[in-house]
Amino acid sequence: MTGELAPVATTGAALGREAASPFGKSAVLAMLVVGFAAFVAMLYFIGTGDTGGNRGTGPAHASSNAIHGYTGLSQLLEANGYDVEKSREQSGLETSGLLVLTPTQNTDPDEFAAILEERQYQGPTLVILPKWFAIRPSGKIAEEDEDQVQDDWVQLVSSNLPGWTQDLPEPYTLETAMDPDASGATPSWGGLGLSGNLPAPTPLYAENSPDHEALVIDDKGRPLAVNVVGQPDTYFYEDAHFLTVVIEPDLLNNYGLADPTRAALALAIVEQAGYEDKQVTFDLTLVGLGGSTNLLTLAFRPPFLAATICLILAMLIVGWRAFLRFGPVAAQSQEARFGKAQLVTNGAGLIVRARRLRLLADPYVALIERKLGNALGLAKPDATTIDQALEQRLPDEEPFSNRVARLQNATKPSEVMRAAQSLSELASKTTGKSRR
């Protein structure tokens, strides 16, 4: 097209044929949803530090299902209406409710004493001392028993004294001892209106102290659980929150809770230790299960949780819009075209898509004026001189100025095209060339 306006043709050859997708919309959507959920889950577990692992062996804690762990105690409290939380952060030590501490055999007495001193004015505390050393079951398991063996089963190798308790400052100092019955009989216990037998013949007990008030004793009168009260007329005796220490862990661990009477005793100990409050926090940092605070964990906590939810929703909306953006993918034409004709076609197509045909009126009029001026021999062609010259050469034709005015006043694409077509035909008749 040279010197004239032509409509832009859009053909199947130019755009290519639609390519059939190998997957249906439902299959692609399912893959996106599953992939997104897996990604979010991965981020969450990385942030919390909960990547699985063996929860049976090692020190006892509230997430351990092993025989010496305290999952049974946490579940027992939940079943009786307690609000139970398992804290993996140092901030959990600052709770105003009952805090349950399960230190290990290697606990540093100075650091532990600092925690207890802070808890004096924060809230009540229940300490369960360590006793058992557990490993994975050794030896070959009979084939008929393999289906019954669970991953969190352990073997209790030995019982040990927590020697660091004697290095605690007063009134926390505890002199612990262990006196297994030579006959192998399990000793009895009594306290808080209940009584029963221990599950193992090796009780861990503490020596009597004026700073401690016995809650549970064995059949020889030795303390198995105490309240740390301090001496009369001291700040600890008058102002400090309750500190309850369970010396014999078999009263509260999974091993001990197999007996209903010991389970009732566990509830009684927790009730008196926490002032009958229903808020209980189990600390996991002392056994090495603390989670460090990072940007990922902060993103899923208030006040940043709202922004994270908005970001996730925005990602879902953007993904959904991308999924339905243009429908099926159109195959690109393999034909590569170059030259002026393709340049003009592309430019015309852009103008048509932009719906700006009216902007072509003045440039197109100037183009036709120059073309008619050359054909009529006019030095300075304008609408008036062209009309005068055409009146002599083509007296039956509509004046040039009328056609120009119709093009400039056109508002619709169809009107613009008809007016431009009229000017193009006039130029063709004047130059003696047929319109292509």
Side-chain angles (χ1 to χ4, degrees):
M1 178 180 69
T2 305
E4 57 189 76
L5 183 66
V8 178
T10 303
T11 63
L15 294 180
R17 294 178 300 177
E18 293 183 353
S21 175
F23 300 101
K25 288 184 178 180
S26 58
V28 175
L29 181 61
M31 289 190 293
L32 289 175
V33 171
V34 173
F36 179 77
F39 178 70
V40 171
M42 180 192 70
L43 293 180
Y44 172 77
F45 285 115
I46 290 176
T48 58
D50 188 358
T51 56
N54 184 7
R55 294 183 177 181
T57 58
H61 52 83
S63 292
S64 174
N65 293 323
I67 192 172
H68 66 312
Y70 300 103
T71 298
L73 178 60
S74 66
Q75 294 177 352
L76 177 65
L77 295 178
E78 288 178 345
N80 283 271
Y82 282 82
D83 183 11
V84 176
E85 179 182 356
K86 298 176 183 179
S87 174
R88 293 175 177 267
E89 297 183 1
Q90 293 293 327
S91 59
L93 300 175
E94 301 173 2
T95 178
S96 59
L98 178 63
L99 176 66
V100 180
L101 301 176
T102 55
T104 67
Q105 293 283 357
N106 299 320
T107 297
D108 184 276
D110 294 332
E111 295 180 358
F112 193 71
I115 295 175
L116 297 181
E117 290 171 355
E118 290 290 331
R119 291 294 303 169
Q120 290 180 19
Y121 306 105
Q122 291 175 342
T125 307
L126 172 63
V127 178
I128 308 176
L129 294 183
K131 172 183 175 181
W132 295 107
F133 178 70
I135 62 173
R136 297 183 66 87
S138 59
K140 188 175 181 180
I141 301 174
E143 184 176 352
E144 61 271 14
D145 296 332
E146 289 182 353
D147 295 338
Q148 301 179 9
V149 177
Q150 301 181 16
D151 294 336
D152 50 14
W153 280 17
V154 296
Q155 178 180 356
L156 300 180
V157 178
S158 62
S159 53
N160 302 282
L161 294 176
W164 52 268
T165 58
Q166 62 185 3
D167 297 326
L168 294 172
E170 294 183 351
Y172 310 118
T173 308
L174 283 166
E175 294 286 345
T176 59
M178 194 176 300
D179 184 18
D181 194 325
S183 64
T186 55
S188 60
W189 58 267
L192 296 177
L194 299 168
S195 62
N197 293 325
L198 290 173
T202 54
L204 180 63
Y205 61 91
E207 301 292 344
N208 287 294
S209 169
D211 291 326
H212 304 154
E213 176 187 26
L215 293 177
V216 182
I217 59 176
D218 64 4
D219 50 8
K220 296 180 180 180
R222 299 172 299 194
L224 303 179
V226 298
N227 275 338
V228 178
V229 295
Q231 296 291 326
D233 301 327
T234 64
Y235 76 95
F236 191 92
Y237 186 86
E238 297 176 354
D239 300 329
H241 281 284
F242 266 12
L243 170 61
T244 302
V245 182
V246 177
I247 299 97
E248 174 50 78
D250 288 347
L251 295 175
L252 302 183
N253 59 21
N254 298 334
Y255 194 10
L257 294 187
D259 178 68
T261 306
R262 289 193 294 267
L265 176 66
L267 286 174
I269 291 176
V270 171
E271 183 177 355
Q272 73 85 33
Y275 313 130
E276 300 183 4
D277 184 22
K278 295 294 185 178
Q279 176 68 39
V280 177
T281 300
F282 285 87
D283 172 74
L284 299 179
T285 62
L286 292 179
V287 294
L289 297 181
S292 60
T293 302
N294 51 47
L295 293 178
L296 184 58
T297 56
L298 288 176
F300 290 94
R301 295 180 179 177
F304 305 104
L305 179 60
T308 303
I309 294 176
C310 291
L311 179 61
I312 293 175
L313 291 177
M315 292 173 60
L316 290 175
I317 293 172
V318 170
W320 180 252
R321 290 291 299 165
F323 184 71
L324 298 178
R325 187 172 57 234
F326 301 121
V329 180
Q332 299 294 328
S333 174
Q334 298 299 321
E335 179 184 1
R337 298 191 294 173
F338 304 95
K340 296 180 180 179
Q342 183 64 30
L343 180 61
V344 172
T345 301
N346 294 341
L350 179 61
I351 294 172
V352 171
R353 285 179 178 272
R355 300 179 183 273
R356 295 294 186 268
L357 290 177
R358 56 185 175 80
L359 299 179
L360 295 177
D362 291 339
Y364 192 66
V365 168
L367 176 64
I368 296 299
E369 282 181 349
R370 290 196 302 270
K371 191 172 185 180
L372 293 176
N374 293 334
L376 298 174
L378 302 176
K380 295 183 179 181
D382 55 31
T384 303
T385 57
I386 291 175
D387 282 346
Q388 294 173 356
L390 286 175
E391 186 177 0
Q392 297 178 2
R393 179 176 295 189
L394 300 171
D396 296 332
E397 291 293 333
E398 181 183 7
F400 173 74
S401 58
N402 292 350
R403 304 187 187 208
V404 170
R406 190 161 59 250
L407 176 60
Q408 292 176 338
N409 295 331
T411 57
K412 299 180 180 179
S414 58
E415 296 175 352
V416 173
M417 293 297 294
R418 285 195 296 269
Q421 183 71 27
S422 175
L423 287 173
S424 178
E425 291 175 353
L426 179 61
S428 299
K429 292 178 180 180
T430 303
T431 58
K433 299 179 180 179
S434 59
R435 175 182 167 274
R436 293 184 295 175

